[in-house]
Amino acid sequence: MKVAIDAAVCDGKGYCKRFAPEVFAMDEWGYGKVLVEEVPPEQEANAQAAVEACPLQAIRTV
């Protein structure tokens, strides 16, 4: 599983980091960024929860 964040849509609420801190972080401007290219199997449920929790749907699986 891979995830991506649409930087043009992200508003920096940080749901991604709250749900999957091993997969997502906040960049220097306070917006979400992906830390790993391929989500480890043990983190897939957390990453999917982050996708579903994002209020602007800025995170997607690819």
Side-chain angles (χ1 to χ4, degrees):
M1 166 186 213
K2 293 183 181 183
V3 290
I5 295 178
D6 184 340
V9 176
C10 179
D11 66 354
K13 297 280 188 211
Y15 288 100
C16 54
K17 184 177 176 183
R18 286 185 214 146
F19 281 90
E22 298 84 5
V23 179
F24 302 101
M26 306 309 281
D27 68 14
E28 58 271 17
W29 297 286
Y31 296 101
K33 69 176 183 177
V34 178
L35 293 175
V36 295
E37 187 171 317
E38 185 76 34
V39 177
E42 64 273 9
Q43 292 300 320
E44 285 184 1
N46 292 343
Q48 186 61 44
V51 170
E52 294 169 12
C54 182
L56 297 176
Q57 299 177 336
I59 311 166
R60 68 183 192 289
T61 57
V62 286

